[in-house]
């Protein structure tokens, strides 16, 4: 019997469901709808922002919870020990997330925005807020290792609580002082950061773990994988699209009224995502990781926790500040760029010999009776 050849990008794309194949289109439409609503409906942004949780609009918080729950319900928690023993994954992830990532964003912010201190500070804050939310969905769509993503997101959460304030002090006050640059003060408590982590990771993680534990115990793993997961899986994408609509409705006026400022903020963000994602993917391959874990390393390194960044900017500098606008532009650039990188990651399988075929989550959800990847 001959080994089945490693699939190319074309057959992988052909197996994508209609929803997955056009996901970039749905995201762009959701962004456009949100921006349009924010501009055309007077007072909508204020109404959406009135009720907030840890500084984040309640509708956005609900959308993120709906988005993350199905992905975390798919995690095989009995396999996590194999991830925690993989130093080839854990060490590079921590190094890129907490040493390289913030340093790259600091450098790009000063290179591209030396004359715009508010936007520059906002970008540095975005670089300090390592991703714990949307990355689980990008990783899932790109065929990444779901269990590895759960472990790395949990590690990022712990480091975020412990290191965010200290890194903010270092990159906004200490390092600029050493370099003779303008200094900024960031006043944010550890408890405020912990609340954000507990909300956006803790709740869906506990819910996902409980769903798998109870579901498998009641009806078995085969039923859980082939019956329940396909039913709840699509809600991750629905939650993503809803979150995008609300997010851009909140800031539609600010974004559309200052297009040149948005463009200047967007440029270093584009460079950041390209550099960190591609560098992390290459690092994973050089470290001998397989495609799923290299993909997980790349997405967990390149993504940022825009919920926390926006909340910190608003709490410290005000909702109408340049720092807050920079935080909002973050997902405006990150969302379409990372969905594009999902397709790049799928195509990159050819450079990882021995990778098994991967099916996109939504495609597998449409095929009852088959295991959900």
């Amino acid at each position: 019997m001959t080994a089945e050849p490693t699939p190319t990008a074309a057959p992988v794309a052909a197996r994508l469901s209609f929803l997955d194949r056009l996901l970039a289109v749905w995201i762009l439409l959701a962004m456009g709808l949100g921006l349009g609503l924010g501009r055309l409906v007077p007072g909508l942004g204020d109404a959406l922002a009135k009720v907030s949780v840890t500084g984040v609009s309640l509708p956005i918080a609900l959308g993120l919870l709906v988005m993350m729950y199905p992905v975390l319900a798919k995690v095989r928690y009995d396999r996590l020990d194999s991830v925690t023993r993989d130093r080839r994954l854990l060490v590079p992830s921590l190094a890129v997330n907490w040493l390289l990532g913030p340093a790259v964003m600091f450098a790009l912010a000063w290179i591209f925005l030396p004359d715009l201190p508010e936007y520059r500070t906002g970008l540095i804050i975005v670089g300090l807020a390592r991703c714990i939310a949307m990355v689980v969905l990008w990783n899932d769509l790109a065929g990444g290792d779901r269990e590895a993503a759960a472990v790395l997101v949990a590690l990022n959460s712990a480091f975020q609580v412990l290191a965010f304030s200290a890194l903010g002090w270092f990159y906004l006050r200490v390092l600029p002082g050493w370099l003779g640059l303008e200094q900024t003060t960031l006043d944010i408590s550890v408890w405020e950061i912990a609340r954000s982590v507990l909300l956006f990771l803790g709740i869906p993680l506990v819910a996902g773990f409980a769903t798998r534990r109870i579901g498998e115990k009641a009806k078995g793993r085969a039923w859980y994988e082939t019956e329940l997961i396909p039913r709840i899986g699509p809600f991750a994408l629905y939650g993503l699209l809803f979150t995008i609509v609300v997010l851009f409705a909140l800031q539609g006026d600010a974004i559309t009224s200052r297009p040149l400022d948005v463009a200047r903020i967007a440029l270093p963000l584009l460079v950041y995502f390209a550099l960190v994602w591609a560098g992390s993917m290459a690092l994973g391959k050089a470290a001998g990781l397989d495609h799923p874990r290299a993909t997980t390393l790349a997405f967990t390194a390149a993504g940022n926790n825009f919920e926390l960044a926006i909340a910190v900017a608003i709490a410290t500098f005000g909702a109408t500040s340049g720092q807050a606008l920079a935080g909002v532009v973050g997902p405006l650039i990150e969302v379409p760029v990372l969905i594009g990188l999902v397709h790049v990651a799928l195509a990159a399988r050819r450079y990882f010999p021995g990778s098994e075929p991967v099916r996109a989550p939504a495609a597998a959800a449409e095929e009852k009776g088959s295991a959900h990847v």
Side-chain angles (χ1 to χ4, degrees):
M1 178 181 291
T2 58
E4 181 179 344
T6 301
T8 62
V12 170
R15 282 194 297 272
L16 294 175
S17 71
F18 177 73
L19 181 62
D20 279 341
R21 280 198 304 272
L22 297 180
L23 185 56
V25 175
W26 308 139
I27 286 176
L28 290 173
L29 289 175
M31 292 167 63
L33 177 60
L35 290 171
L37 289 173
R39 288 284 292 180
L40 298 175
V41 181
L44 177 62
D46 292 336
L48 291 173
K50 273 186 177 179
V51 182
S52 64
V53 180
T54 67
V56 177
S57 167
L58 181 59
I60 290 180
L62 292 175
L64 289 168
L65 294 177
V66 171
M67 179 192 73
M68 292 183 66
Y69 163 67
V71 180
L72 292 171
K74 299 172 193 173
V75 171
R76 286 284 301 274
Y77 293 93
D78 56 334
R79 294 178 177 172
L80 295 184
D81 60 337
S82 69
V83 180
T84 58
R85 294 195 301 266
D86 191 350
R87 292 186 179 180
R88 294 178 305 169
L89 174 64
L90 296 182
V91 173
S93 177
L94 292 175
V96 172
N97 269 288
W98 297 102
L99 296 177
L100 183 61
V104 169
M105 189 69 89
F106 173 86
L108 292 174
W110 273 100
I111 290 170
F112 285 94
L113 302 170
D115 57 328
L116 297 171
E118 289 190 0
Y119 299 154
R120 185 178 64 237
T121 298
L123 279 187
I124 293 172
I125 293 172
V126 170
L128 299 178
R130 312 313 297 168
C131 196
I132 65 169
M134 281 191 179
V135 69
V136 296
L137 183 56
W138 305 135
N139 178 74
D140 216 42
L141 290 170
D145 187 313
R146 191 173 294 137
E147 287 68 40
V151 170
L152 296 185
V153 163
L155 282 174
N156 275 348
S157 301
F159 272 82
Q160 201 145 247
V161 173
L162 297 172
F164 185 92
S165 296
L167 287 174
W169 170 74
F170 176 75
Y171 279 106
L172 293 174
R173 191 157 188 84
V174 176
L175 186 56
W178 289 350
L179 299 175
L181 304 172
E182 183 179 348
Q183 297 172 299
T184 306
T185 300
L186 181 64
D187 184 18
I188 184 74
S189 72
V190 171
W191 170 236
E192 289 176 280
I193 300 165
R195 282 187 304 177
S196 176
V197 169
L198 289 172
L199 173 66
F200 295 119
L201 177 64
I203 292 175
L205 182 61
V206 170
F209 176 81
T211 301
R212 178 171 282 277
R213 188 71 179 267
I214 295 170
E216 288 188 355
K217 188 174 182 180
K219 295 197 174 183
R221 178 165 293 170
W223 171 87
Y224 186 87
E225 296 286 351
T226 62
E227 295 291 333
L228 182 60
I229 289 299
R231 292 175 186 171
I232 66 175
F235 283 92
L237 298 181
Y238 303 153
L240 170 65
L241 296 175
F242 173 78
T243 302
I244 291 170
V245 171
V246 176
L247 176 66
F248 290 107
L250 273 167
Q251 299 290 338
D253 185 65
I255 292 173
T256 55
S257 63
R258 290 186 269 179
L260 293 180
D261 288 355
V262 169
R264 288 202 61 183
I265 297 169
L267 186 56
L269 283 168
L270 285 170
V271 175
Y272 172 84
F273 292 130
L275 282 177
V276 175
W277 189 91
S280 299
M281 196 75 169
L283 179 62
K285 181 171 173 57
L289 297 177
D290 59 13
H291 176 268
R293 292 197 175 182
T295 296
T296 299
L297 174 63
F299 278 97
T300 53
N304 293 92
N305 185 354
F306 69 82
E307 312 90 14
L308 176 61
I310 293 172
V312 168
I314 291 174
T316 307
F317 303 103
T320 61
S321 65
Q323 291 88 342
L325 177 61
V328 172
V329 174
L332 175 69
I333 304 305
E334 177 177 336
V335 169
V337 168
L338 291 190
I339 193 58
L341 290 174
V342 165
H343 293 279
V344 175
L346 292 172
R349 294 181 61 80
R350 69 184 72 181
Y351 301 109
F352 291 81
S355 294
E356 292 299 321
V358 65
R359 289 197 326 219
E366 293 176 351
E367 300 176 16
K368 289 194 175 185
S370 62
H372 193 83
V373 177

